[in-house]
Amino acid sequence: MFRTALRNVLTHKARLLMTVLAVMLGVAFVSGTLVFTDTFGNAYKNKSAKSFDHVSVAITSDSTSSGDDSHGPKQKPELTDSLLKKADGLPGAGSVLGSVSGFTALADKDGKLVGGEWGTTGANYFPGKDGKDPRYDFTEGAAPKSAGDIALDSRTAGRTGYKVGDSVRYSTDGPVRTAKVSGIFDTDEGSVVAGGSLVVFDNKTALKELNKNQYDEIDVKAAAGTSEAALEKSVEKILPKDSSTMTGGELKAQQDDMIEEQTSSMSQILLIFAGIALFVGIFIIANTFTMLVAQRTKELALMRAVGASRRQVTRSVLIEAFLVGMIAAVSGFALGIGVAVGLESLMNSAGASLPDGPLVIAPTTIVVALLIGVVVTMLAAWLPGRRAARIPPVAAMNSVHATPTVRGLVVRNTIGSLIVALGAVMLFMKDNYVKSGGAGVMLVGVIVLTPLLSRPFIAASAPLLKPFGVTGKLSRLNSVRNPRRTASTAAALMIGLTLITAMTVVATSMSTAINKMAAGAMKADYSVSMANFQPLTPEVREKLDKLPDVEATTPLRSTYGEADGGYVSISGVDPKTFGKLVGLDFTSGSVEGLKSGGALVDTDTAKEKGLKAGDTFPLKFDDDGKKVELKVAGVYEGNEMLNGLFAPTSVVDPHLTKVVDKQVLVKMKGGTSDKAEDTIVDALGDNPAITIQDKDAISNQVAGAINMMLNMLYGLLAMAVLIAVLGVINTLAMSVFERKHEIGMLRAIGLDRAKVKQMVRLEAVIISLFGAVLGIGLGLFMGWVAGGTISNSVSTYSMEIPLGRIVIFLGIAALVGVLAAMWPARSAAKLNPLMAIKSE
C-alpha cells in the first residue's frame, strides 16, 4: 500500500501542487514567526545583558506609600547623595552610580520631534572614580560637563545629522532650551536599541531638568573577590524605608522575563493568523483528496475486488497525505527561515533598529513545523480517505464519475442547522464572552451549511449570467453540480473576508465614535499638551493668556482622591472659562456652580456614591491626605474623553505636591486656522515637546492608529486570502481534468476555445463571489456582535457599514476569480476534442 501511495503522489504531482503550496505557506508563516521571535528575543537579551555589567546590587524604591491608608500622601525613599556615599563606603563595594531618567523631547534640524512621542529619553552622566560612566561609550567628543552641554546616542546622531559642536533644541516640561552637543556615544540601553533616542545631561543638570530631587536607582558594583550575595547583605544594612535591593543577576533575569513575555505576545498574535491560514488550507486539502478519490473510483474499487480491506484503502490515502504534508512542511520550514530573515530586514529598513544577533533555529521550531504540516494535511485527508474505503468492489465496472449521495448532504445540513441554532441561543446570553463565542459557533455552522446556501445564491446569479449566453448557463450548472466542492472552495475565501469585513466595520465605527465624542465634548479650538502627556508647566498657559488672539483658556490639572468611600479622578479647572471650552451634557445642575467652589460629577460616579446636585460630600486628596467638603454643582454624562470630578483650581491647587497641567484648552477669537495655530506655536517657541491639536487632529490621531492597526491585520490576513486563491485554482484545474470528456463533447459540437475559457472564468467568478458575499455578510454580522460589546463602554459607538470598502472587497473577489481561472481556462481550451472524448 505504501508503494501504491507513493506511485499516486508521483503520478498526480501537478494536481497536488496547489495543496503543497497551501500547506507550505501556512508552515512558512508558523516557522518564520517562531524563528524571528526567537532570534529577536535572543539578540535583545544578549544586548540588554551588557547594560547590567556595571550593576552587582541595585537599590530601588518600592511603589508603596506611608500614611494611615493606601490612598494617603506618597513619599519615596531617600535615594540621595548621602545614601550614595554610604554605599560607596561599604566593604566589598567597588563603585557606585546614581541614575535618573525621564522624558526629554529633542528637536531635529527641521524642528520635529525625534524618537517619537514615547521614545525620547533624557538621563544623567554619572562619572565614577575614573571619570567615566560605564553606561556610555563615547566615540566622539566628551561627556557633558555643564548646563549648556548634552550628549547624544550614535543612532540619534546618525538619523538627525547632528555632530559635536552643533546647537540643539530640547524640552523636558514645556519651555524650550538650547544646548551644544558635547559628545556622541554608543549604548546598549533597551529603548535606544528599539529605535528611541537618548539625551544625556551632566548629573546636576539632569536632576534639575528631569525634575528629580533624588535618584531613581543606585547601582553598586562589587569589588574583585566579592559576590553579589555578600554585597547585597551589606547594602541591606543601609537601606532607607520603602526601598529594596536586586542583584545584577536578578535584574538580568527580570529583563529576560520581560523580553520573553513581549516576544511571546508578538509570537501568539502572529501564530493566530498563521492558524487561520492553515485552517483555510484544510478546505483546499480536503477538496483535492476528495476529487482525487473520485477520479480513482475504478482503481480503488479494483483494489477492493482483489482483496484490499477498507482500512488498507484509507491507509493508502493517509500515506499519500503524509508524503504531501512532509514535502510541504520541509519546503515551508525552509521558506519560513527566509521569511524570518526578510522580516528582520524589513523592520530594520522601517527604522525599528533591531539588535544584531545570530539566526536562532530552535529544535522545537523544526518539530512544530514538521508536525503542523503533516498533521494538518492528514487531518484534512481523513474524511476523503474514509469515503474511499466505502467504495464497493462492484464500482470497478461503473462510471468513474460517482454522484455525491443526497443522504450525506441531508446529514450535513441538519448538523449545520443545529450548530447555527446553538450560536443564536448563545447570542442572547448576557455574558460578552458567551456572545462572542456564539458568533464563532454561528460562523462554524454557516461553514457547514455552505453547500445548502450555494444553490440559492448561484440560482440568483442567473440574470447576471444571461448576457453570456450558453457559457453563462453552463458555468452556473457546473457550479452547482457538486455543492460540497463549491462550498469548500468558497468557504476558504469566505473565512478571510469574514474577518477582514468584521475588523473593517469595527474600525470604521470606532473612528466615527471618536469623532462624535470629540465634537460633542470639546468647545475649545485647541488642546495643548506634552507630546507624551507628561506634566506641563503652568508657564505654558500664562504665555497663551498673554496672546491677543486668545479668547479663553483653562488648565486641566489631574490628581486622584477618595470621595465618599470610593476612589475618583479629579481635574482642577478654571471655573470662569471652563463652560466656554467644554461641552457637558448635564442631567442636573450646571457648570455655573463651579464659580462658587462646587464640583461637577459624572453620572457613573454620582450613581455609585448616591450623589445628586446640591449634595455635599467629603473629598480626601491623595497628594497631601487632607480632606475638604465639596458641594455637587452638577451631574453630567461622562464619556471616555471627559469623566470623573471637576473642581476649581482654587480648591485643587493647595493639595497638589507640585502644580502642573495635564493639558491646556484654548479658544481663539477667530476659531481654528493655520494662522491661529502658528500663533500658538510661535508663542511657545516652536517646542518639539508640545502637541497642539484641534478636534480633527484629536480624531485623526485615534483614527490613524486604528487604520494603521487595520492595515497590519489586512497584511496578516492576506496569507489566508492567497491560500484561498490557490484553492480556487486547484478546484478548477482538477474539475477541468475531471470533465475532459464533457469539454471534448462541447468542443465537438461547436463551442470554440474562447467560449470554453469564458465558461471556466465565469465558474471561478461565481464561486469567488459566493464566498465573498457570504464572507461579507458574516463579517457584518460579527461586526454587529462585537459592536454590541463595545457600545457598553463607548457611549458614542454605533455600527457604521463601510460601503466603499465592501464594494472594493467584492471587486477584489471577482478579480480573484478571473486570475484564478487563467491557468485552468487555458488548459481546458487546449484540450483536443477527439482525445478528450476518448478519455472516458
Side-chain angles (χ1 to χ4, degrees), residues 159-174:
R159 289 201 307 266
T160 59
Y162 283 131
K163 294 180 172 53
V164 174
D166 287 352
S167 292
V168 297
R169 297 167 63 250
Y170 71 91
S171 176
T172 56
D173 63 351

Side-chain angles (χ1 to χ4, degrees), residues 716-761:
L716 292 169
L717 284 170
M719 183 68 75
V721 175
L722 175 60
I723 291 174
V725 173
L726 294 177
V728 178
I729 297 172
N730 198 34
T731 299
L732 289 174
M734 297 188 76
S735 180
V736 166
F737 177 83
E738 200 174 73
R739 301 198 317 252
K740 272 185 181 180
H741 180 76
E742 176 187 316
I743 293 170
M745 290 292 292
L746 291 171
R747 293 276 287 114
I749 60 175
L751 196 68
D752 61 26
R753 290 186 173 184
K755 293 291 186 182
V756 170
K757 285 183 179 180
Q758 188 181 71
M759 177 183 70
V760 177
R761 287 196 199 103

Side-chain angles (χ1 to χ4, degrees), residues 330-542:
V330 171
S331 55
F333 176 72
L335 180 61
I337 295 173
V339 167
V341 173
L343 187 58
E344 185 177 1
S345 300
L346 180 65
M347 293 186 72
N348 280 326
S349 65
S353 300
L354 299 182
D356 296 327
L359 199 67
V360 177
I361 303 175
T364 52
T365 301
I366 300 173
V367 173
V368 166
L370 296 178
L371 276 177
I372 286 175
V374 172
V375 171
V376 166
T377 309
M378 292 183 70
L379 185 67
W382 181 68
L383 280 177
R386 287 198 62 188
R387 289 196 196 103
R390 290 201 296 267
I391 295 173
V394 73
M397 294 176 285
N398 292 340
S399 169
V400 72
H401 303 301
T403 306
T405 62
V406 176
R407 180 177 175 274
L409 283 174
V410 171
V411 172
R412 178 171 177 160
N413 294 339
T414 303
I415 293 172
S417 301
L418 291 173
I419 294 173
V420 170
L422 175 62
V425 170
M426 292 172 70
L427 289 176
F428 288 97
M429 300 295 180
K430 290 183 179 180
D431 189 277
N432 288 330
Y433 291 106
V434 176
K435 284 184 178 179
S436 301
V441 170
M442 288 194 74
L443 174 60
V444 173
V446 171
I447 291 172
V448 176
L449 286 174
T450 42
L452 178 66
L453 299 171
S454 65
R455 290 187 177 276
F457 174 85
I458 294 170
S461 67
L464 298 175
L465 297 172
K466 197 170 183 180
F468 297 98
V470 68
T471 55
K473 184 176 182 180
L474 287 171
S475 63
R476 179 170 58 82
L477 294 174
N478 287 335
S479 300
V480 294
R481 176 182 296 182
N482 192 326
R484 286 191 185 92
R485 186 184 302 171
T486 299
S488 296
T489 307
L493 187 60
M494 178 196 77
I495 293 166
L497 282 175
T498 296
L499 297 173
I500 287 172
T501 304
M503 291 186 300
T504 304
V505 167
V506 172
T508 304
S509 303
M510 198 67 196
S511 295
T512 303
I514 297 297
N515 288 336
K516 288 178 183 176
M517 200 182 295
M522 191 171 163
K523 289 183 184 178
D525 295 318
Y526 295 101
S527 168
V528 179
S529 63
M530 290 289 283
N532 66 342
F533 298 103
Q534 288 291 308
L536 188 69
T537 174
E539 181 185 331
V540 170
R541 189 202 177 192
E542 292 169 9

Side-chain angles (χ1 to χ4, degrees), residues 251-267:
L251 286 171
K252 289 177 184 177
Q254 188 182 65
Q255 180 83 346
D256 286 351
D257 288 344
M258 185 183 73
I259 293 170
E260 188 74 32
E261 185 179 345
Q262 290 173 344
T263 54
S264 176
S265 299
M266 184 196 309
S267 177

